[in-house]
Amino acid sequence: MKVLVIGPGGREHAIVRGLLADPYVHEVHAAPGNAGIAALVPTHQLNANDPEEVTALARKLDVDLVVVGPEAPLVAGVSDRLREAGFPVFGPSREAAALEGSKAFAKQVMAGAGVPTAMAKVASNIGEAAEALDTFGAPYVVKDDGLAAGKGVVVTNDREEALAHAQSCFEAGGEVVIEEFLDGPEVSLFVLSDGRTVVPLAPAQDFKRIHDEDEGPNTGGMGAYSPLSWAPEGLVDEVISRVAQPTIDEMAHRGTPFVGVLYCGLALTSRGLRVIEFNARFGDPETQAVLARLRTPLGGLLMAAAKGQLASVETLRWTPETAVAVVLAAANYPDTPRTNDRIRGIKKANALDGVHVLHAGTALDEEGKLVSAGGRVLAVVGLGEDLVEARERAYDGMALIQLEGGQYRQDIAAKAAWGKVELPQQNASRQAASRSAASSTAEETR
């Protein structure tokens, strides 16, 4: 099959790499891509958020499948226009993508589906925000209701900082969702959906803060690893039965079937499993780690989802290795990232055993030299027999790459590698109460 991948980042580079490993995929194109993607497949410059431009390119290339990577084209209706034109598409419709495009909508869906999540209030002015903050108390969790590229969330003990973030969202014309704080480690699980059937990928964990020990502001993600040796037994089955399948069923019931990948951002709290957020696409940088281990042909999986045929997919195959992805970010990220800085050493990193580099914010300058072109510049992925070896390989690769002002975390997957991930204690009665109260914890108050 011939596949067109829409998007410019590291997630799309990982998807392109996975598609090229599929023996049934004979040709891959990307739009707009980046310098790393362009070294692998033909790229096409366009406005990825313009449904007509994307559809025209799909027609010109006569592709068999379109994979929409980022959230913005989904919310802009790119998938809808492609489907109207007769193309199989991996990516939800505009209405279904509202699961990510509006956190308030996602809360409504979770309430309807009985999905366990944090209690929340939606605020449209500073008075409502202040009241909600006082209801839940510190730590304060304030989320921009709309798309924010993973950086629209503030978690703080400082009430004034929380109010300031809410005010900035109001001034931009939006609303905020204010939630109770969820304790416990976080887990990301991608679930493929064809609108009815769901197929889970391997769980991962990512690291949102810019600095080690989870210090500093939130980012789009500074690293990830998969699988999770410390995850409770039966976690994936629980997520499917309590979160993913009920959500997909609810979306179908609403007349907006969800076709694509449902990103379940989860917290394993002292009260049991809770959903932090949904995304309507592959998460970045978890995708870089998860797809590095997938051995089932990716193109066939995505096509099965696009055509409503996931029920016929065989059990997924995975390499027994562990994957760690470490992100290199530009100077001044996540505030105002500096661009056009030279990047060196990628060939050396790629030459290491068990290491590959995935580009995100990269481009070629007028002299054909590789330069930074975004906040998160690239990710170094290490594969190893265990988490310790995978980390060593990823960081060995990162040590060979030079970017002036570049910054990366030194502690990606460190706690897990040394067995220091702590799960909150739950007694049996509390766990049972948590399960029976799923619908009440999925409330959304306005």
Side-chain angles (χ1 to χ4, degrees):
M1 72 181 82
K2 182 190 292 187
V3 185
L4 172 61
V5 177
I6 302 300
R11 160 187 49 229
E12 288 74 39
H13 194 172
I15 291 170
V16 166
R17 189 174 183 271
L19 290 170
L20 291 174
D22 185 334
Y24 300 104
V25 175
H26 71 271
E27 191 173 339
V28 179
H29 292 254
N34 56 43
I37 294 173
L40 299 176
V41 302
T43 57
H44 308 266
Q45 294 307 304
L46 51 61
N47 177 2
N49 298 336
D50 186 322
E52 296 302 329
E53 280 195 46
V54 175
T55 302
L57 178 61
R59 282 200 183 102
K60 178 183 177 182
L61 296 174
D62 191 25
V63 297
D64 301 299
L65 173 68
V66 182
V67 179
V68 183
E71 61 273 26
L74 297 170
V75 173
V78 168
S79 292
D80 304 74
R81 183 68 190 91
L82 286 162
R83 288 192 177 96
E84 289 171 4
F87 292 99
V89 182
F90 183 83
S93 66
R94 183 205 307 261
E95 288 186 313
L99 274 177
E100 177 170 3
S102 170
K103 294 176 179 62
F105 173 75
K107 287 291 185 182
Q108 293 168 8
V109 171
M110 283 187 265
V115 170
T117 186
M119 292 185 291
K121 292 189 175 185
V122 180
S124 57
N125 59 59
I126 201 67
E128 292 175 353
E131 180 182 353
L133 291 175
D134 293 340
T135 296
F136 296 125
Y140 304 107
V141 181
V142 183
K143 299 181 176 181
D144 188 338
D145 181 51
L147 297 180
K151 293 175 282 187
V153 180
V154 165
V155 181
T156 179
N157 286 308
D158 186 332
R159 187 173 182 275
E160 293 306 312
E161 181 184 358
L163 284 173
H165 179 63
Q167 184 61 36
S168 68
C169 295
F170 300 144
E171 291 173 355
E175 296 180 315
V176 296
V177 175
I178 296 174
E179 297 183 349
E180 64 170 330
F181 177 77
L182 297 176
D183 62 344
E186 296 184 10
V187 173
S188 301
L189 183 66
F190 302 145
V191 180
L192 306 183
S193 169
D194 62 8
R196 300 182 304 275
T197 302
V198 297
V199 174
L201 301 187
Q205 186 178 60
D206 78 331
F207 298 77
K208 291 295 187 188
R209 303 279 187 164
I210 185 68
H211 300 308
D212 288 2
E213 301 298 328
D214 292 325
E215 298 289 339
N218 269 347
T219 71
M222 293 299 294
Y225 67 98
S226 180
L228 310 181
S229 61
W230 51 266
E233 185 177 355
L235 173 63
V236 172
D237 289 340
E238 182 181 7
V239 176
I240 293 300
S241 64
R242 299 183 65 206
V243 176
Q245 191 68 63
T247 299
I248 296 304
D249 292 345
E250 176 70 13
M251 293 297 287
H253 176 72
R254 289 168 173 253
T256 54
F258 188 99
V259 176
V261 59
L262 180 66
Y263 168 111
C264 302
L266 311 160
L268 307 186
T269 79
S270 56
R271 293 186 292 128
L273 178 72
R274 294 290 184 273
V275 174
I276 300 171
E277 64 175 349
F278 285 141
N279 289 336
R281 38 73 191 183
F282 281 113
D284 187 338
E286 296 99 322
T287 301
Q288 288 87 311
V290 172
L291 292 190
R293 300 183 55 248
L294 182 64
R295 289 296 171 263
T296 298
L298 180 62
L301 271 180
L302 303 188
M303 181 65 91
K307 290 190 170 183
Q309 299 171 351
L310 279 180
S312 63
V313 168
E314 296 180 356
T315 302
L316 302 190
R317 303 192 309 276
W318 301 89
T319 173
E321 295 175 302
T322 294
V324 174
V326 181
V327 170
L328 176 64
N332 300 326
Y333 180 77
D335 296 324
T336 306
R338 196 172 73 203
T339 58
N340 296 314
D341 286 320
R342 279 291 310 278
I343 307 167
R344 296 177 173 86
I346 289 181
K347 287 183 179 180
K348 292 180 180 179
N350 274 324
L352 296 178
D353 287 342
V355 174
H356 62 271
V357 179
L358 297 171
H359 294 233
T362 65
L364 299 179
D365 65 12
E366 294 179 354
E367 299 178 354
K369 304 296 186 182
L370 187 66
V371 297
S372 60
R376 289 182 296 169
V377 178
L378 55 83
V380 180
V381 181
L383 284 164
E385 291 185 3
D386 55 26
L387 201 48
V388 172
E389 184 176 61
R391 288 190 78 247
E392 289 176 351
R393 288 179 168 177
Y395 280 108
D396 284 348
M398 185 65 78
L400 297 174
I401 298 175
Q402 301 171 35
L403 172 67
E404 185 178 353
Q407 49 184 327
Y408 62 91
R409 286 182 56 158
Q410 303 275 358
D411 65 343
I412 302 300
K415 288 183 178 179
W418 307 118
K420 295 183 178 180
V421 177
E422 296 183 2
L423 291 169
Q425 294 296 314
Q426 300 178 54
N427 60 46
S429 60
R430 201 170 184 183
Q431 199 167 19
S434 171
R435 291 174 183 273
S436 65
S439 59
S440 66
T441 60
E443 73 180 70
E444 180 256 330
T445 309
R446 181 140 192 163

